[in-house]
Amino acid sequence: MAVTLDSAFPARKRRPLVVGSFESPKLSDAKLTRSLFLASHEISSMQPLRFILRRNSLSLIRKVKILASVFDELLLRSQLLVYSQSAQLCFEEMQIVMQRIKSLIDDCSRVSKLWLLLQIDIVAFNFHELVTDLSTVLDILPVHEFDLSDDAQDLISLLRNQCSDSVQFVDSRDDALRRKVTETIAGIKHQISPDHSSLIEIFNDLGFTDSASLTDEIQRLEDEIQDQIDDRSKSAAASLIGLVRYSKCVLYGPSMPAPDFRRHQSLSDANIPADFRCPITLELMRDPVVVSTGQTYDRESIDLWIQSGHNTCPKTGQVLKHTSLIPNRALKNLIVLWCRDQKIPFELYGDGGGEPAPCKEAVEFTKMMVSFLIEKLSLADSNGVVFELRALAKSDTVARACIAEAGAIPKLVRYLATECPSLQINAVTTILNLSILEQNKTRIMETDGALNGVIEVLRSGATWEAKANAAATLFSLAGVSAYRRRLGRKARVVSGLVDLAKQGPTSSKRDALVAILNLVAERENVGRFVEAGVMEAAGDAFQELPEEAVAVVEAVVRRGGLMAVSAAFSLIRHLGEVMREGADTTRESAAATLVTMCRKGGSELVAEMAAIPGIERVIWEMIGAGTARGGRKAASLMRYLRRWAAGDTHDTEAETQSIVVPTPSRIFSPVL
């Protein structure tokens, strides 16, 4: 989609760069005068816009400065004056105009300069409209009531003349700069590479003279995409982002972050609200949908559940009346807003409908930038290049596709074994970001050395961050059922994830546990994780990460048979504590785990649960005040306790047998 000079941009989700509506509070005469005095002086002290619409903003600020001088005198007389109704109404209208002037200049100061440049006709009209409104108020203002000095009256007369003579205008310099930008973008559509000297001229005229300033501009443009409500405007902003990214790279070269750089706020680091997590994976939902029981799941997770042959709701256990999935758009909007507040990229997919089809200009800019970076990978100092690829791969689907199609994955593999910690982090994180795109999962799995390289980083990476991102990569790859089985057969994957869950810092443990949770969805993988010590790892994580730890235990126990139940025996008291103090979803999961263990484990296990201090009170509380699912699971636990107390254990699968760990080969296929 070409960006045209006369593009009309509709209203945005937040207050647009268009004069909005304001209401004036009802104030006494003296307070109203003081309010206008303060407002006029605040606007008078504002700096005019520096690079775009400078003349428009400067002209308006100068007019308000003249008005401020009048209010200086009026403020001294305000205690002695009683305004007529017409004067009161004029001043109230003037206060609204002042609010609108301040808001317009503030908005123009904060918004992307390139975005402002494309809307220059609309915004210039807004400046002129404010001058016209100010002129209207001045024309009907009963100046004779105020007993002003001759100088003050002359100032009002001067201001009236200036406002009435004002015309809408766009500075010829601004208009020429806009044409340069739109012509550059139009050329990209026809695969014409921008001239470097022209790019330098454009960005110098906008006040961008280094890589950091262009990075800030990209962030502002990304905010604009989120704020726009139609595909046309989103595509226009995407074209501008492509222009800035490409220009930043070719003009200033690949750049590394400051030494204290931390990876962008990620889901592993964020405290995700429980309602935003999918009950199946405990991950942030990207495309929440509602099933027939009224429960909400992430589309990908519940699709996989249904395709695996299940006909029940995973959370409630009720049989699904139908398998239709209804998009939960209200929840999705809340998740998007939360991600923006947390500075977490949010990828829209499925039928969510939030991401427009990529425009040709943005795609071409991305291809050019990727080609430039891939050529630079052969240089000795490649860390900056890999970081740029990492940042680009984080940005959007188009970038991930372009990077993979350009052959970046095989080139990135060799940096996984580097001795430079930052380069290793950048390489594995780039592969992680690429793996978000479904077709890239196959590319990574089929690229010689890629999977083994990621596994080696998981096991012996130079930093915890590198290990955690390797675990997150395996989690992403395990989103494909066939790859989940393949990964689960690799002993180095199983032991690496379990070791990270035992030894890593909290954020790394979380990445390991969610990867394990994904892999144990395949029943054949469970035995290998049990043998590797996943229950001990989960037990160690109960204090730091109760939700993830309980979810892993529940998944393993549900799919692992008596061997898993035996391994979880030492965790019974932990599960009881979670039922007493955990969040609702965690308490549900703990209760469900204990129900499964009681059903499979026999009387010894029920006796161990009965020995937990206060367990009956906790169970009664869940029955009376817990969630629907939690109440049902708690009621089942109470039945087990009462039957055990009465010496009746016939409801358990194990019945009178003790918990004996069978030979693994009798239950699970061999570890490969």
Side-chain angles (χ1 to χ4, degrees), residues 61-128:
I61 290 172
R62 283 174 174 169
K63 290 178 175 60
V64 176
K65 281 184 178 179
I66 295 174
L67 201 55
S69 299
V70 175
F71 282 113
D72 286 350
E73 183 172 328
L74 266 177
L75 187 63
L76 298 175
R77 300 170 178 268
S78 61
Q79 300 297 333
L80 306 175
L81 293 174
V82 177
Y83 297 148
S84 65
Q85 186 176 8
S86 61
Q88 175 86 11
L89 289 174
C90 281
F91 279 165
E92 287 176 356
E93 286 298 316
M94 189 174 292
Q95 186 176 45
I96 293 173
V97 173
M98 293 289 187
Q99 290 173 332
R100 293 163 65 199
I101 290 172
K102 182 178 183 300
S103 295
L104 180 59
I105 296 174
D106 278 343
D107 275 356
C108 290
S109 300
R110 290 194 300 265
V111 79
S112 153
K113 293 175 185 174
L114 280 165
W115 186 253
L116 184 62
L117 188 65
L118 290 192
Q119 299 188 82
I120 198 167
D121 287 329
I122 297 173
V123 184
F125 171 78
N126 293 336
F127 275 101
H128 178 63

Side-chain angles (χ1 to χ4, degrees), residues 445-519:
M445 293 294 288
E446 294 180 354
T447 297
D448 187 34
L451 179 58
N452 285 334
V454 172
I455 295 172
E456 196 55 37
V457 173
L458 169 69
R459 291 170 55 84
S460 56
T463 64
W464 289 117
E465 182 180 353
K467 292 181 178 182
N469 286 354
T473 304
L474 295 174
F475 167 80
S476 177
L477 296 173
V480 179
S481 181
Y483 298 156
R484 190 157 55 238
R485 291 191 292 271
R486 180 175 164 186
L487 291 169
R489 294 188 184 112
K490 291 184 176 291
R492 292 189 303 151
V493 170
V494 174
S495 61
L497 289 173
V498 171
D499 288 345
L500 184 61
K502 288 180 178 179
Q503 302 168 8
T506 301
S507 61
S508 300
K509 285 182 179 179
R510 183 184 286 111
D511 283 320
L513 288 171
V514 296
I516 291 170
L517 187 61
N518 209 356
L519 288 170

Side-chain angles (χ1 to χ4, degrees), residues 18-231:
V18 179
V19 179
S21 59
F22 295 87
E23 293 184 4
S24 176
K26 298 299 181 182
L27 301 174
S28 65
D29 293 348
K31 288 184 177 179
L32 182 56
T33 304
R34 180 168 181 78
S35 177
L36 285 166
F37 166 82
L38 294 173
S40 62
H41 278 273
E42 184 178 6
I43 295 171
S44 300
S45 64
M46 296 178 77
Q47 293 297 315
L49 303 175
R50 291 185 59 193
F51 300 100
I52 306 169
L53 295 162
R54 180 175 176 81
R55 284 181 56 199
N56 306 70
S57 59
L58 183 59
S59 174
L60 189 53
I61 290 172
R62 283 174 174 169
K63 290 178 175 60
V64 176
K65 281 184 178 179
I66 295 174
L67 201 55
S69 299
V70 175
F71 282 113
D72 286 350
E73 183 172 328
L74 266 177
L75 187 63
L76 298 175
R77 300 170 178 268
S78 61
Q79 300 297 333
L80 306 175
L81 293 174
V82 177
Y83 297 148
S84 65
Q85 186 176 8
S86 61
Q88 175 86 11
L89 289 174
C90 281
F91 279 165
E92 287 176 356
E93 286 298 316
M94 189 174 292
Q95 186 176 45
I96 293 173
V97 173
M98 293 289 187
Q99 290 173 332
R100 293 163 65 199
I101 290 172
K102 182 178 183 300
S103 295
L104 180 59
I105 296 174
D106 278 343
D107 275 356
C108 290
S109 300
R110 290 194 300 265
V111 79
S112 153
K113 293 175 185 174
L114 280 165
W115 186 253
L116 184 62
L117 188 65
L118 290 192
Q119 299 188 82
I120 198 167
D121 287 329
I122 297 173
V123 184
F125 171 78
N126 293 336
F127 275 101
H128 178 63
E129 185 180 43
L130 285 170
V131 174
T132 301
D133 291 346
L134 184 59
S135 176
T136 301
V137 174
L138 291 172
D139 284 343
I140 62 175
L141 184 68
V143 179
H144 61 277
E145 292 185 17
F146 307 136
D147 192 25
L148 294 171
S149 65
D150 292 343
D151 288 343
Q153 293 188 49
D154 288 344
L155 288 175
I156 291 178
S157 178
L158 172 65
L159 187 55
R160 281 173 172 167
N161 292 334
Q162 288 184 356
C163 290
S164 62
D165 293 341
S166 178
V167 294
Q168 180 180 340
F169 69 93
V170 173
D171 194 306
S172 58
R173 173 186 166 279
D174 292 345
D175 194 43
L177 182 57
R178 176 177 56 178
R179 282 199 303 273
K180 287 181 184 177
V181 171
T182 54
E183 288 170 1
T184 299
I185 293 175
I188 286 296
K189 185 177 182 181
H190 301 289
Q191 299 182 335
I192 300 173
S193 298
D195 178 69
H196 285 203
S197 61
S198 176
L199 291 177
I200 292 173
E201 186 177 344
I202 288 172
F203 289 110
N204 281 344
D205 287 347
L206 288 168
F208 301 126
T209 57
D210 55 26
S211 178
S213 61
L214 290 179
T215 299
D216 290 341
E217 177 69 359
I218 291 171
Q219 181 60 59
R220 291 190 178 93
L221 285 167
E222 288 174 344
D223 290 342
E224 285 300 329
I225 287 183
Q226 296 292 339
D227 290 328
Q228 298 305 317
I229 59 176
D230 75 305
D231 288 354

Side-chain angles (χ1 to χ4, degrees), residues 411-632:
K411 296 179 181 294
L412 290 167
V413 168
R414 65 174 178 262
Y415 299 117
L416 295 176
T418 180
E419 294 182 358
C420 174
S422 62
L423 180 55
Q424 184 182 71
I425 290 171
N426 288 331
V428 74
T429 309
T430 304
I431 293 175
L432 165 61
N433 292 339
L434 292 175
S435 73
I436 295 172
L437 187 63
E438 199 68 19
Q439 57 262 38
N440 284 349
K441 298 184 196 299
T442 300
R443 288 190 174 104
I444 293 168
M445 293 294 288
E446 294 180 354
T447 297
D448 187 34
L451 179 58
N452 285 334
V454 172
I455 295 172
E456 196 55 37
V457 173
L458 169 69
R459 291 170 55 84
S460 56
T463 64
W464 289 117
E465 182 180 353
K467 292 181 178 182
N469 286 354
T473 304
L474 295 174
F475 167 80
S476 177
L477 296 173
V480 179
S481 181
Y483 298 156
R484 190 157 55 238
R485 291 191 292 271
R486 180 175 164 186
L487 291 169
R489 294 188 184 112
K490 291 184 176 291
R492 292 189 303 151
V493 170
V494 174
S495 61
L497 289 173
V498 171
D499 288 345
L500 184 61
K502 288 180 178 179
Q503 302 168 8
T506 301
S507 61
S508 300
K509 285 182 179 179
R510 183 184 286 111
D511 283 320
L513 288 171
V514 296
I516 291 170
L517 187 61
N518 209 356
L519 288 170
V520 297
E522 289 292 332
R523 189 177 296 273
E524 70 175 59
N525 294 339
V526 175
R528 303 183 184 103
F529 277 99
V530 172
E531 290 180 334
V534 68
M535 289 306 191
E536 293 88 340
D540 293 342
F542 260 86
Q543 293 299 319
E544 297 173 273
L545 302 165
E547 191 166 3
E548 290 81 359
V550 172
V552 167
V553 174
E554 181 187 9
V556 171
V557 166
R558 188 168 66 245
R559 300 183 181 94
L562 291 178
M563 181 182 183
V565 173
S566 176
F569 194 90
S570 62
L571 302 180
I572 292 174
R573 291 181 179 272
H574 285 306
L575 292 168
E577 291 171 4
V578 169
M579 285 179 60
R580 179 184 292 111
E581 302 175 355
D584 283 345
T585 54
T586 313
R587 296 174 73 196
E588 286 179 16
S589 186
T593 305
L594 286 172
V595 168
T596 303
M597 294 175 71
C598 289
R599 186 175 70 249
K600 295 182 178 182
S603 58
E604 289 186 12
L605 195 146
V606 180
E608 184 70 17
M609 182 178 68
I612 300 174
I615 188 63
E616 288 200 18
R617 174 182 291 181
V618 172
I619 292 174
W620 278 119
E621 287 177 355
M622 285 191 68
I623 293 173
T627 61
R629 182 191 182 221
R632 287 194 301 273

